[in-house]
Amino acid sequence: MESFNPKLHLPILIFGIAAPFVIPGVTIQIAVLWVMVLFALTWDIMGGQMGYNSLGNILFFGSGMYISALVQISMFANVSEYTASSGAVDFTYTSSEYFWGLGWGILAAAVGSALLAASLGWTLFGLRGPYFAIGTLGIALTAGELMGTWEWVGAGGGLAMPVYPGSADGKSFMFYFMCFFAAIGTYLFCSWLYSTRFGLAINAIRDDEQKAEAMGIHTLRYKTIAWSVSAFFLGISGALFGNMTGFVEPLEVAFPVATFGIFMVAMSLLGGKGTLWGPILGAALFHVLKELTWTYFLGWQWVALGVLIIVNVVFFQQGIMGWLMEKFPERFGIIVDKKETAK
């Protein structure tokens, strides 16, 4: 596991803890930033560290959102009555009911999403390269469409989450810190994971899967576990985001393939995939640029983000961390044989 570096970690910890007190007006926007960091870190487990570019990881964000919602609702109410209610039935949750439901909902979202990834992995990992990317994209799109037709969970109209039993500021404050600690926890777990034999194994799969198999690495097992780990944290982020927004809708909120689904890939590429800090830098920069374009270039925001992604993919494939490691290798502990490079 990466040792604690005060110069890198302390400023982030101080910012994360102080932000809702110092700049309370943008608490939700910064909470979304932590969700973006979690997105980029979990996508990079697959795309950067293992070389399997998934375009459908948003599936686990949405599944986590729905699993959490159903657990929270079903613990104290009938789901069919809840989704069909038009005011005839009172579904006001007490504080105790809300927080017990929230806790169990987050846990179920994490475990349920991981199990979903494991079940899909046994079939999808028969695909390689662009076929895997397209296959995952198809499943994510299909999931959104299926949930949009399932009346029991509200179909296309979606469903409202249990109402937070407190003030709006209290809700923002609580979910901000939950998102912050979820992102920190994901970072710490990835940092530890990449320092283990498991990290070496998925790197070997990325470099040459056939040779990895010849060396005795059970590649299907490692790929399935890596995807399940990614899904575990995405399920948590879905549960938190659904409760934070207070509403679950299949296409625009739970399975937004064209926005969050693409953003998590773009952020990792921008920061430098295959590195621990690259996805974090990419998420921070991308989120700030996204907010600026939404504020000052409304109407052209998608064009601006599209241009950024094209420039990144065509001219800057190594990303920020890749560029820094190439320019200043000694600062990253990389030893360069100058005699060899001079030849």
Side-chain angles (χ1 to χ4, degrees):
M1 185 175 176
E2 183 177 296
S3 59
F4 181 76
N5 186 336
K7 292 182 180 178
L8 288 175
H9 298 100
L10 270 182
I12 295 176
L13 280 175
I14 292 171
F15 171 77
I17 293 172
F21 300 99
V22 178
I23 41 178
V26 292
T27 299
I28 294 299
Q29 286 89 337
I30 305 177
V32 174
L33 166 63
W34 297 123
V35 174
M36 295 295 109
V37 169
L38 192 152
F39 277 177
L41 281 170
T42 52
W43 185 87
D44 199 59
I45 296 173
M46 294 288 295
Q49 299 291 335
M50 205 174 72
Y52 269 71
N53 296 318
S54 168
L55 294 178
N57 271 18
I58 197 67
L59 167 69
F60 307 116
F61 175 75
S63 64
M65 197 176 290
Y66 269 100
I67 291 170
S68 176
L70 294 176
V71 168
Q72 289 177 245
I73 294 167
S74 61
M75 283 179 67
F76 305 103
N78 182 291
V79 176
S80 299
E81 292 181 356
Y82 185 97
T83 54
S85 173
S86 59
V89 183
D90 182 13
F91 289 109
T92 302
Y93 285 71
T94 65
S95 295
S96 174
E97 290 173 341
Y98 180 86
F99 288 110
W100 273 109
L102 178 63
W104 283 110
I106 293 172
L107 179 62
V111 174
S113 297
L115 291 175
L116 176 62
S119 63
L120 291 173
W122 290 99
T123 53
L124 277 177
F125 283 124
L127 304 174
R128 302 280 177 88
Y131 300 102
F132 176 78
I134 297 300
T136 55
L137 175 63
I139 286 184
L141 290 169
T142 303
E145 295 295 335
L146 285 176
M147 297 306 285
T149 60
W150 194 6
E151 294 291 342
W152 189 63
V153 296
L159 57 86
M161 298 294 293
V163 178
Y164 177 79
S167 67
D169 288 342
K171 178 183 178 182
S172 300
F173 192 80
M174 186 186 80
F175 281 106
Y176 170 85
F177 278 104
M178 293 183 80
C179 292
F180 172 58
F181 287 119
I184 294 293
T186 306
Y187 163 78
L188 291 174
F189 184 86
C190 288
S191 176
W192 167 78
L193 188 69
Y194 300 154
S195 68
T196 65
R197 185 178 182 277
F198 186 91
L200 295 175
I202 60 175
N203 287 164
I205 292 172
R206 175 191 61 194
D207 295 339
D208 193 319
E209 188 166 348
Q210 289 184 331
K211 286 183 180 178
E213 286 179 340
M215 291 167 62
I217 296 174
H218 195 303
T219 57
L220 178 58
R221 182 183 304 159
Y222 278 96
K223 289 187 291 187
T224 303
I225 294 174
W227 211 20
S228 299
V229 168
S230 176
F232 180 89
F233 290 107
L234 281 169
I236 292 174
S237 69
L240 294 178
F241 196 84
N243 279 282
M244 190 164 64
T245 57
F247 184 73
V248 177
E249 188 272 342
L251 297 179
E252 300 296 329
V253 180
F255 303 96
V257 176
T259 52
F260 286 176
I262 298 300
F263 289 174
M264 63 176 71
V265 183
M267 291 185 294
S268 189
L269 294 178
L270 178 62
K273 70 175 187 175
T275 63
L276 184 60
W277 278 95
I280 298 173
L281 285 174
L285 182 59
F286 189 90
H287 185 66
V288 171
L289 289 173
K290 179 171 71 64
E291 292 298 320
L292 288 175
T293 53
W294 251 252
T295 302
Y296 298 107
F297 299 100
L298 192 59
W300 289 86
Q301 70 271 26
W302 292 111
V303 176
L305 289 178
V307 170
L308 173 67
I309 292 171
I310 291 171
V311 170
N312 183 196
V313 171
V314 176
F315 301 106
F316 198 60
Q317 294 183 4
Q318 76 271 43
I320 297 170
M321 284 301 294
W323 181 81
L324 288 173
M325 292 170 75
E326 184 179 310
K327 290 293 181 183
F328 311 103
E330 67 282 355
R331 296 188 181 182
F332 296 91
I334 300 172
I335 300 173
V336 179
D337 188 337
K338 295 183 179 179
K339 292 181 180 178
E340 286 294 323
T341 55
K343 290 180 181 179

